[in-house]
Amino acid sequence: MEQDADSVPSGGRQHSNHAIREWIARSCVVLEPAHAEKQHAREPGDLLHVLVGRSRPVREGHKPSGGHERTGEVGLCRTTNEPTEQREETLCGGWGGKGTDSGEHRPTTHAPDTEWETHVPGLSGVRKAARERKQERFTALLHHLNVGLLRDSFYALKRQASPGVDGVTWQEYETGLEDRLIDLHRRVHRGAYRARPSRRAYILKADGRQRPLGIAALEDKIVQQAVVTILNQIYEVDFKGFSYGFRPGRGPHQALDALTAGIQWKRVNWVLDADIRGFFDNMSHEWIMKFVEHRVADRRILRLIQKWLKAGVSEDGQWSETKLGTPQGAVVSPLLANAYLHYVFDLWVEVWRKKVAKGDVIVVRYADDLVVGFQHRTDAERFLQEFRERLAKFG
């Protein structure tokens, strides 16, 4: 199957989750179906798909009786951990343990998050303002989208990715690149740039089903990459430490390390593994824009995002309108997904674990896949119910 790998990391969602399922089986006792109830708004196993870099279990435990295998969209597990002595809280920021700052201090397992800082020195003022003024709404961002940033964005793309509906490959666009980028820059700034529909393609999932991808035209990828670079200066200040998916300097190995540390060092006896079914395809455009507008007031940037959301999909030569979702495979989609879940999940769970939970709570999120660990079963069951209600509100 053809696919656009510009935003799909190696070892990512499309790969086997066998090693991690073995790890969960050795580390948890899965509750019977009454407590591992399927929720049809969700899709199973994607966090486990991406966390495949390590097969050593956190704790050796008992496999579920009867050869039970976790196939539900939402699974509650019981760990075999005994209560452990508390460690230094400053080591726990990356997984949002109760009593920590949920990520303002990075754990020692992280690679330095410097890549997004050093490559865009002209945006340091945006980053500084975002850090110092958490309620700031940025009204002038598009002027940072210059020819140099477009050039860097072009070279950041995968050279062998499949072309979109324009049929233009990376190698073809590189011919006469400077003139092309100058023209693209002019069109973007005078409002003449038009987003093209995404070309629909499919990749085979581990369970035999097909995952739809939306392959953007090359110029759309370039402009999206430039906008993501600009917005990262704001969101990398805002996003929580327990969010790992599709962020500069972060990846699945750090997420698994944080999960390992959380279960080892905190009193975690129950684990909720959840994955939002069809999340990218069903995000509300209205809520996406509302969430982005919390920090972005530049109408030109907002119009670009709306153009990409409304560009539609082309499949077998037929165009169809997109009223929901953002295409998987589009460069801008992971950032929009993280911004969406930052407001729907991350900020909410941070308050919930501090004000509602009776015991320890840890959180690790990789895009739309998340693991939440609890000291008490009552906390786990209450969280699951309230989390479902919150998803329904923003779904």
Side-chain angles (χ1 to χ4, degrees), residues 35-46:
H35 299 289
E37 178 182 0
K38 290 186 177 181
Q39 181 171 338
H40 295 293
R42 313 180 69 78
E43 179 174 313
D46 281 336

Side-chain angles (χ1 to χ4, degrees), residues 266-341:
K266 300 293 279 189
R267 293 185 292 264
V268 174
N269 301 309
W270 301 89
V271 175
L272 171 68
D273 170 37
D275 175 10
I276 305 175
R277 171 173 294 183
F279 172 70
F280 283 86
D281 295 331
N282 292 287
M283 280 193 296
S284 162
H285 290 178
E286 180 182 2
W287 280 114
I288 289 175
M289 298 310 301
K290 284 182 179 179
F291 293 145
V292 171
E293 287 171 8
H294 281 312
R295 287 295 247 164
V296 178
D298 187 327
R299 304 310 303 178
R300 298 172 299 173
I301 293 287
L302 295 174
R303 280 195 294 270
L304 284 174
I305 295 173
Q306 289 174 322
K307 285 179 180 181
W308 295 324
L309 292 175
K310 300 297 186 183
V313 174
S314 177
E315 185 171 5
D316 297 328
Q318 297 295 315
W319 179 85
S320 59
E321 183 181 6
T322 48
K323 296 182 179 180
L324 289 172
T326 180
Q328 293 188 62
V331 177
V332 75
S333 293
L335 177 64
L336 295 179
N338 273 333
Y340 194 101
L341 288 173

Side-chain angles (χ1 to χ4, degrees), residues 21-161:
R21 288 200 180 279
E22 285 188 348
W23 170 77
I24 287 284
R26 290 194 296 266
S27 304
C28 302
V29 175
V30 181
L31 295 181
E32 292 305 312
H35 299 289
E37 178 182 0
K38 290 186 177 181
Q39 181 171 338
H40 295 293
R42 313 180 69 78
E43 179 174 313
D46 281 336
L47 179 60
L48 306 183
H49 274 271
V50 298
L51 302 182
V52 296
R54 183 172 172 184
S55 60
R56 179 178 61 82
V58 175
R59 296 284 192 207
E60 290 295 339
H62 301 290
K63 290 187 177 181
S65 59
H68 183 76
E69 187 174 340
R70 296 181 65 257
T71 57
E73 288 82 0
V74 175
L76 257 184
C77 313
R78 181 173 185 175
T79 72
T80 58
N81 285 1
E82 296 296 329
T84 58
E85 184 177 335
Q86 295 296 311
R87 307 295 179 91
E88 289 292 329
E89 295 296 343
T90 54
L91 297 177
C92 304
W95 39 262
K98 185 172 183 178
T100 72
D101 59 11
S102 290
E104 294 301 320
H105 300 290
R106 302 289 168 80
T108 56
T109 55
H110 285 177
D113 282 4
T114 57
E115 178 183 352
W116 63 278
E117 295 180 352
T118 57
H119 289 352
V120 283
L123 291 170
S124 59
V126 176
R127 183 167 63 251
K128 184 174 184 290
R131 181 178 292 114
E132 294 175 353
R133 300 191 293 275
K134 295 295 187 179
Q135 304 304 315
E136 180 85 6
R137 297 183 70 234
F138 292 85
T139 58
L141 292 173
L142 191 69
H143 70 277
H144 293 291
L145 195 155
N146 53 38
V147 174
L149 182 56
L150 290 173
R151 186 187 305 110
D152 290 343
S153 300
F154 171 75
Y155 283 108
L157 300 177
K158 301 290 186 182
R159 288 152 171 73
Q160 301 304 322

